[in-house]
Amino acid sequence: MNSGILYATSAFLCWGLFPLYFHAIDEVPPLEILAHRMLWSLLFLAIVLTARQQWKWLPKVLQQPRVLLSFVASALLLTANWGVYIWSVNHGHVIDASLGYFINPLFNVLLGLLVLNERLRRGQWISVGVAAAGVAWLTWQAGQVPWIALILGITFGGYGLLRKTAALAALEGLSLETMMLFPLAMIYVLWLSFHGQNAFINTPHDSTRWLLAAAGPITAIPLLLFAAGARRIPMAVLGLLQYLSPTMQALLGVWVFHEAFTTDRLIGFLIIWAALILYVAEGLWGSKRAK
């Protein structure tokens, strides 16, 4: 339990700083950044697996269609989450992206209820209802559904659930996911190169090339930490720790990237934060009573 909390906390602290990384390579189109994340991640993971002589699991997994199918699903959820997040950061929607990860813990609670048969207490139901009211307020004020936040919350919640119940450990599972994504990423990068649009080759900045190559460890290490933590702690605890990342991202959006934070948006965020505070308080009270 303690090691799981440490792993998950480290992952969320890393993700909280991600807007700085993607902003540093905003000259590269989001889809190409996504492709490079897949390519360099697999290279990094292959080096790790080779160094640890940890390839024996792969032939066995390839003979288990059900396991492969579950990792196809988690790979697709991960791709969708990565793509929307990169686009939102590079198009000035860091605060909207942070809202998605504020909402995500409550999706974890619902998934724990619906899929893992985890029971919700009255306070947890109330916190989910208050958060839904906050999303409804933001939708009404903006005149449109906060699709960035909802997509990020749903995709990462689903990914966390699949990784929690996965048949493979953190390193092997992430390696299998990136193996599945690698062919698509390679085809896309080769297509860009053939048409003279590969930013990795065309950029005049060596720093951009180094940052794109660093996408491997930058992507893989937090995901490994998250997957290792998700397997060791309940979904509710995972959701509690996850507040670290969106808080850091929201502060970066306001203070570093100077995104607009209107009164109407503030009210919506306050409602959702109230739901999270209620959820945390209820969890602490429940733990105290249990002791």
Side-chain angles (χ1 to χ4, degrees):
M1 181 73 169
N2 291 334
S3 62
I5 291 174
L6 178 61
Y7 292 144
T9 300
S10 300
F12 294 130
L13 288 175
C14 292
W15 283 326
L17 297 173
F18 263 23
L20 297 176
Y21 170 73
F22 291 118
H23 184 73
I25 53 174
D26 60 358
E27 66 175 280
V28 183
L31 193 58
E32 186 174 349
I33 295 176
L34 178 62
H36 278 284
R37 290 189 76 178
M38 299 173 184
L39 296 177
W40 294 107
S41 294
L42 181 58
L43 176 61
F44 174 77
L45 292 168
I47 293 173
V48 173
L49 288 170
T50 301
R52 299 181 61 174
Q53 297 182 347
Q54 201 169 330
W55 287 101
K56 294 181 180 179
W57 56 273
L58 185 57
K60 298 178 182 178
V61 170
L62 294 178
Q63 300 174 9
Q64 303 178 52
R66 183 172 297 181
V67 174
L68 291 175
L69 186 60
S70 69
F71 276 93
V72 168
S74 64
L76 291 176
L77 287 172
L78 187 61
T79 301
N81 188 271
W82 282 356
V84 173
Y85 183 78
I86 295 169
W87 182 92
S88 63
V89 171
N90 286 359
H91 286 78
H93 296 284
V94 174
I95 296 176
D96 291 329
S98 72
L99 176 62
Y101 294 109
F102 274 120
I103 296 173
N104 176 250
L106 300 173
F107 278 113
N108 287 341
V109 173
L110 292 176
L111 288 171
L113 169 69
L114 298 174
V115 181
L116 302 180
N117 297 317
E118 296 179 356
R119 299 179 62 182
L120 298 188
R121 297 180 294 271
R122 181 179 300 177
Q124 292 175 315
W125 279 114
I126 294 174
S127 65
V128 171
V130 173
V135 173
W137 167 266
L138 291 171
T139 301
W140 180 61
Q141 289 296 326
Q144 60 181 9
V145 175
W147 63 271
I148 293 176
L150 291 177
I151 291 176
L152 291 176
I154 292 171
T155 54
F156 201 71
Y159 178 76
L161 175 66
L162 289 175
R163 289 316 309 267
K164 180 177 177 62
T165 58
L168 295 176
L171 177 60
E172 293 87 343
L174 181 58
S175 299
L176 182 58
E177 288 169 349
T178 51
M179 288 176 193
M180 293 175 172
L181 298 172
F182 181 85
L184 295 176
M186 179 58 73
I187 290 171
Y188 179 66
V189 170
L190 291 175
W191 183 87
L192 289 175
S193 302
F194 181 76
H195 289 84
Q197 299 175 15
N198 189 334
F200 186 87
I201 297 174
N202 298 337
T203 180
H205 306 113
D206 289 336
S207 59
T208 299
R209 294 189 185 90
W210 282 109
L211 286 172
L212 283 174
I218 288 174
T219 297
I221 290 174
L223 281 169
L224 288 172
L225 291 169
F226 171 77
R231 294 174 67 88
R232 289 171 169 82
I233 58 179
M235 289 290 284
V237 177
L238 189 67
L240 175 62
L241 294 174
Q242 198 164 343
Y243 304 150
L244 291 171
S245 176
T247 299
M248 295 171 64
Q249 293 174 15
L251 293 175
L252 288 173
V254 175
W255 291 342
V256 177
F257 302 117
H258 308 293
E259 293 185 12
F261 200 62
T262 63
T263 302
D264 291 336
R265 177 181 280 187
L266 175 61
I267 292 173
F269 269 69
L270 287 175
I271 295 173
I272 292 171
W273 287 333
L276 299 178
I277 292 171
L278 176 62
Y279 175 73
V280 172
E282 194 278 339
L284 293 175
W285 174 252
S287 298
K288 185 176 179 180
R289 290 183 62 186
K291 290 181 180 179

